Amino acid sequence: MALIVQKYGGTSVNGPERVKNVARRVVNTRRAGNEVVVIVSAPGDMTDDLIAMAHEISPNPPAREMDMLLATGEQTSIALLAMAIHELGEPVISLTGPQVGILTDNVHTKARILEVSCDRLHRELAEGKIVIVAGFQGMTCDNEITTLGRGGSDTTAVAVAAALKADVCQIYTDVDGVYTADPRVVPAARKLPVISYDEMLELASLGAQVLQPRSVEFGKLNHVVLEVRSSFNDNEGTLVKEVTEMEKKMVVSGVAGDRNVARIALHDVPDRPGIAKALFVALARESINVDMIVQSAMRDGINDIAFTVGRDDLRKAVEVTERVRAEIGASKVTYNDKVAKVSIVGAGMITNPGVAAEMFACLAEEGINIHMISTSEIKVSCIIDEEYLTRAMQSLHSRFGLEKE
Ligand code: ADP
Ligand code: ASP
Ligand code: MG
């Protein structure tokens, strides 16, 4: 008997008909002779709606209360799915993250899973039940409810699969696999039969929301093979796993775009040791993730430092930067939240020089100005004006020959 972990995303459980559809799929898996643990997300846009509701009450809600609110989305789905499975006549139980024993750190709204306790899961499975677990939520060692950051149900699924040493971790969503680019933005995108953890991690971190980056990290660390599939059909999906050199055929395997980017610049910074430390330590203390950082060439003992953050963090990041500006005697802080990041990803880049140059040439031919650049062994990212993101993704996708055959 195999142990299968399945995760169904928000679109897949949006409304009674879709919940019943998921219930049928889960029951079929169980009746085929498998043990099944199912992770579910909040229905449809419920998490967005709850966030909007909170902001109608307070511009800056306490993070603890935000988690208390957001966790209700997933709790709605687990109960409804358990009811639908019960209707089909299979023994089933729904459990919240805290009931399972998903232990996290105490960074509210961005918590990281520290441990998944398996006792309750094993007990319920041993009684022959299908177990439905709320994604995206956990509990600190002080019994406080936490959430894992947007898209966090993917990470719950992989963490549970790793803890249970499941045979498969299937991520069911509204696309039938991982594509060379978001198929909604680049209609010519092609489904990848397989992708390496490293490339998937880059794509996910660079804006391909199909998997939460942390879930891919967890998968890699614990050798959990992920299967991304559609909950609406039975098409072959995409395997995310360790890939051999032989299988790395393409120089570039994907293009990603991210609109959740804002650029902040600190102008006329004195050129002396400790300035970058003062700024980035202050930002880190507020749990603000900084992505790209560029320090301009010095002129007359003065620099500019520019960096990017997620748009949710913009307000707080500007406040912190303004405080540091006053302390160090820089001239001003400016910001722009109408920028976006376009990236190309591919393990083959390491051995193929000139890929970055090709990307810059493509953007230049489209008349798209590049504000910032960052590279790693397997990716190149550019910050551009947000209005050009779709065009940039489509032209890069075609430039690197990623279209459907
Ligand atoms: P779920 O609610 O199931 O977690 P998400 O909306 O989080 O689903 O993720 C699925 C979406 O990810 C797709 O609808 C698609 O638009 C988007 N996406 C972005 N990049 C990619 C990609 N490279 N391949 C497939 N889907 C992608
Ligand atoms: N419901 C959460 C979100 O919308 C978690 C998830 O869907 O994975 O981000
Ligand atoms: Mg998701």
Side-chain angles (χ1 to χ4, degrees), residues 7-8 12 21 25 171-177 179 191 227-238:
K7 178 254 168 178
Y8 291 90
S12 309
N21 170 54
R25 298 181 79 103
I171 308 285
Y172 286 94
T173 179
D174 55 4
V175 273
D176 61 0
Y179 280 68
K191 186 164 62 180
E227 220 181 298
V228 179
R229 311 183 62 147
S230 166
S231 60
F232 301 105
N233 58 48
D234 293 319
N235 297 351
E236 286 280 313
T238 300

Side-chain angles (χ1 to χ4, degrees), residues 200-220:
M200 189 63 238
L201 185 55
E202 287 287 3
L203 277 180
S205 312
L206 294 167
Q209 79 190 59
V210 60
L211 287 174
Q212 197 197 35
R214 185 83 185 114
S215 72
V216 185
E217 238 170 55
F218 241 103
K220 181 177 158 93

Side-chain angles (χ1 to χ4, degrees), residues 328-397:
I328 64 177
S331 75
K332 63 176 176 188
V333 176
T334 57
Y335 64 87
N336 181 356
D337 63 356
K338 301 282 183 298
V339 292
K341 181 162 65 175
V342 63
S343 310
I344 53 172
V345 171
M349 275 185 208
I350 307 174
T351 47
N352 283 276
V355 177
E358 192 71 27
M359 177 179 191
F360 305 148
C362 175
L363 294 176
E365 281 161 29
E366 291 291 327
I368 299 171
N369 192 29
I370 301 171
H371 300 301
M372 293 166 105
I373 298 169
S374 87
T375 63
S376 79
E377 278 189 328
I378 66 165
K379 69 117 201 239
V380 186
S381 298
C382 296
I383 298 292
I384 59 174
D385 287 335
E386 185 182 6
E387 60 183 305
Y388 301 127
L389 181 63
T390 301
R391 202 161 89 210
M393 286 175 71
Q394 291 173 347
S395 1
L396 288 167
H397 193 268

Side-chain angles (χ1 to χ4, degrees), residues 18 69 71 157 251 281 294 358:
R18 291 189 180 174
L69 179 69
V251 177
V281 166
V294 173
E358 192 71 27

Side-chain angles (χ1 to χ4, degrees), residues 15-124:
E17 285 316 311
R18 291 189 180 174
V19 171
K20 288 183 195 170
N21 170 54
V22 168
R24 278 191 295 270
R25 298 181 79 103
V26 171
V27 166
N28 287 342
T29 312
R30 173 78 187 122
R31 289 183 182 159
N34 304 294
E35 290 186 307
V36 197
V37 176
V38 184
I39 317 298
V40 256
S41 294
D45 295 331
M46 187 159 175
T47 307
D48 289 322
D49 295 344
L50 290 170
I51 293 173
M53 208 190 288
H55 285 133
E56 277 175 33
I57 307 258
S58 156
N60 200 9
R64 177 192 183 276
E65 303 311 332
M66 203 63 185
D67 277 349
M68 193 63 97
L69 179 69
L70 294 188
T72 63
E74 271 62 19
Q75 203 168 326
T76 306
S77 295
I78 55 169
L80 293 173
L81 181 58
M83 290 173 195
I85 292 174
H86 178 79
E87 274 306 303
L88 297 176
E90 281 298 321
V92 59
I93 184 166
S94 69
L95 297 172
T96 64
Q99 282 178 310
V100 168
I102 297 180
L103 186 70
T104 73
D105 64 16
N106 55 10
V107 184
H108 282 289
T109 76
K110 292 180 190 170
R112 289 166 75 92
I113 296 180
L114 302 174
E115 207 183 297
V116 176
S117 130
C118 295
D119 300 354
R120 180 78 190 262
L121 292 172
H122 281 315
R123 207 162 66 232
E124 303 295 351

